[in-house]
Amino acid sequence: VPIPGAETDKRLQAEKYLSRFYNLPAGLLGARKSSDVLQTKLKEMQAFFNLKVTGKLDAETFDTMKLPRCGVPDVGEYN
Amino acid sequence: VSPRKLKWPNNNLTFRIENFTPDMKKADVERAIRQAFNVWASVTPLTFKRLHSGIADIMISFAARDHGDFNSFDGPNGLLAHAYAPGKGIGGDTHFDEDENWTKESNDYNLFLVATHEFGHALGLEHSREAGSLMFPTYSYSPGFPLSEDDIDGIQELYGPNPNRKVKPKPDAPKKCDPMLSFDAITELRGETILFKDRFYWRIHPQMPEPELTLIRSTWPALPKEVDAAYENSDKDMVVIFSGIKMWALSGYDMVEGYPKYIHKLGLPKKVREIDAAVHIPETGKTLLFTDEQYWSYDERTSTMDVGFPRAIELDFPGIGKEVDAAVYDSGTLYFFHDYMRFEYSYRSRKVISIVRANSILNC
């Protein structure tokens, strides 16, 4: 079933956020692997911000992604 | 700190401001940057000397979009700034997004606060998970000394303490499942529940799975940093917040003009200097105001204090003790909070129905 436009936008924005701040690997991944990695990274982000850890892109997680913030990643070394 | 504990090998660091933002006066930018370095110098042995030419350890610049480091900015809001961990070359360098509106006030983005956060990275700190700490990755405004205990622990792990000066860090954020947790004030706000504790408030929203902790000042910069009591008058769509002898009003999340007002305008005697708890009962149109071991009844319809008050809390609400910290009303039940206890009190049958931990309201 095609994903509605707004949902695609949200997912793309979330992927951009996670690749910038949580080292979500860039580039093409297999469909199943892609969703596993995204879920893991979402969980990592939710745990960092003390949100409910679901691995899903819920409204609260997406709202946190939209907050103004520092450009330095939350995990790993910035070098 | 980073896993490899990146830090500068010496304590005498240099910085240079390469350019200025047009949003602020040059002198104000210089002051914000200098004050930001002073914050870290006050808790470590580090010193910061400004250079006007050549290469400094920490090079500071304002730039928009792509600015030559493969970490481009994104226009207004979103990314505000970034800084590189200690090291040669770009290490320590700090870049601010010129597309933001930089200020020295609480509106938009306060340069001093963002600079202090970024210099934390330039000195070797990573992001903190603790809401309310300076190194938390999302921006929130808060006046006064910006470092929390968590920030100070981090920087002193790398450089040690300042041998000469002592500063008072901000208190840590309250832990919602601390069994001894008490509340300063609780109110409903258009179907949400707001629980005030120290400089913070929790927001419980029916559609949010977890309570959200935020600094009071980051949502309402005009409110005092801590509050004593609050109640919602849903008929007037207004939340009244008390701190000391003053009160403020909210309509939704917006401050109502014409406040703060003195609590004595409600008809309280001058000897009352603080309200401990407040609760509105829609069925009667009365607002109960609790101070020490007594309470008053204010009639919202006539805007007058009812006669025959104050009365002793212990006599009229048997079983809840002599004092209360916070109170809320819901469908015939009053919920009183005192220390780490919550008393569920039936307003109709005039007795305590159950007693649970105060933080059970936070799903603990």
Side-chain angles (χ1 to χ4, degrees), chain B residues 111-356:
Chain B
L111 180 62
F112 160 72
L113 284 178
V114 178
T116 313
H117 174 104
E118 296 308 329
F119 296 155
H121 291 306
L123 297 175
L125 292 184
E126 295 213 352
H127 280 148
S128 167
R129 287 168 178 236
E130 195 167 301
S133 71
L134 178 74
M135 293 313 292
F136 196 67
T138 57
Y139 176 88
S140 68
Y141 177 79
S142 151
F145 188 71
L147 301 186
S148 69
E149 200 71 68
D150 188 58
D151 300 309
I152 295 175
D153 288 349
I155 202 71
Q156 290 186 347
E157 171 94 14
L158 295 175
Y159 299 99
N162 184 316
N164 306 317
R165 267 192 276 186
K166 278 197 173 150
V167 292
K168 195 176 167 208
K170 284 187 168 174
D172 285 340
K175 305 276 186 289
K176 70 172 184 163
C177 289
D178 175 355
M180 303 309 282
L181 182 71
S182 62
F183 298 107
D184 296 337
I186 303 178
T187 181
E188 299 292 311
L189 197 169
R190 291 184 177 173
E192 300 179 13
T193 307
I194 306 289
L195 303 102
F196 293 94
K197 175 65 181 175
D198 301 334
R199 297 178 302 127
F200 299 83
Y201 73 90
W202 275 286
R203 175 184 176 218
I204 303 175
H205 188 285
Q207 288 164 326
M208 281 168 27
E210 282 294 310
E212 178 186 77
L213 183 66
T214 311
L215 277 166
I216 297 171
R217 280 276 172 93
S218 68
T219 306
W220 300 291
L223 283 184
K225 63 181 179 183
E226 293 181 20
V227 306
D228 298 328
Y231 75 91
E232 180 184 42
N233 183 338
S234 49
D235 295 337
K236 295 181 182 170
D237 185 26
M238 201 157 91
V239 167
V240 181
I241 290 172
F242 299 92
S243 182
I245 55 168
K246 290 183 182 173
M247 57 185 185
W248 288 256
L250 301 176
S251 175
Y253 274 81
D254 299 324
M255 303 293 300
V256 176
E257 280 189 31
Y259 288 83
K261 290 180 181 171
Y262 287 101
I263 57 172
H264 308 113
K265 296 250 178 192
L266 299 173
L268 291 167
K270 286 275 163 65
K271 67 175 183 184
V272 175
R273 310 306 289 173
E274 184 182 318
I275 308 270
D276 294 334
V279 62
H280 178 67
I281 298 170
E283 287 91 333
T284 60
K286 309 282 187 187
T287 295
L288 310 182
L289 303 166
F290 297 82
T291 67
D292 298 326
E293 297 179 6
Q294 297 177 320
Y295 78 103
W296 306 73
S297 175
Y298 179 75
D299 191 323
E300 295 277 353
R301 290 164 192 161
T302 58
S303 299
T304 53
M305 205 58 83
D306 289 329
V307 290
F309 289 87
R311 294 177 57 86
I313 297 169
E314 204 175 18
L315 286 180
D316 288 2
F317 301 98
I320 66 158
K322 289 182 178 173
E323 295 184 34
V324 292
D325 299 332
V328 274
Y329 179 83
D330 182 34
S331 316
T333 305
L334 270 163
Y335 296 91
F336 290 108
F337 293 79
H338 185 50
D339 292 337
Y340 55 86
M341 308 290 271
R342 185 183 85 169
F343 300 87
E344 190 179 333
Y345 184 90
S346 168
Y347 195 57
R348 293 188 189 114
S349 52
R350 301 272 166 181
K351 64 179 180 186
V352 173
I353 299 167
S354 77
I355 304 170
V356 290

Side-chain angles (χ1 to χ4, degrees), chain A residues 16-17 20-22 44 46-54 58-60 63-79, chain B residues 2-4 6 71-73 77-86 109 117-118 121 126-129 131 136-139 208-212:
Chain A
K16 199 171 158 190
Y17 183 94
R20 181 148 216 164
F21 301 115
Y22 290 88
E44 218 173 305
Q46 286 164 335
F48 184 92
F49 283 100
N50 295 317
L51 304 172
K52 192 168 187 181
V53 180
T54 60
D58 49 49
E60 200 186 1
D63 285 347
T64 305
M65 288 179 174
K66 289 190 286 187
L67 292 175
R69 56 161 293 156
C70 167
V72 172
D74 300 331
V75 289
E77 287 180 25
Y78 198 49
N79 267 338
Chain B
S2 63
R4 285 194 292 140
L6 291 171
N71 279 301
S72 52
F73 287 128
N77 304 311
L79 301 180
L80 306 180
H82 56 219
Y84 291 85
Y109 302 114
H117 174 104
E118 296 308 329
H121 291 306
E126 295 213 352
H127 280 148
S128 167
R129 287 168 178 236
F136 196 67
T138 57
Y139 176 88
M208 281 168 27
E210 282 294 310
E212 178 186 77

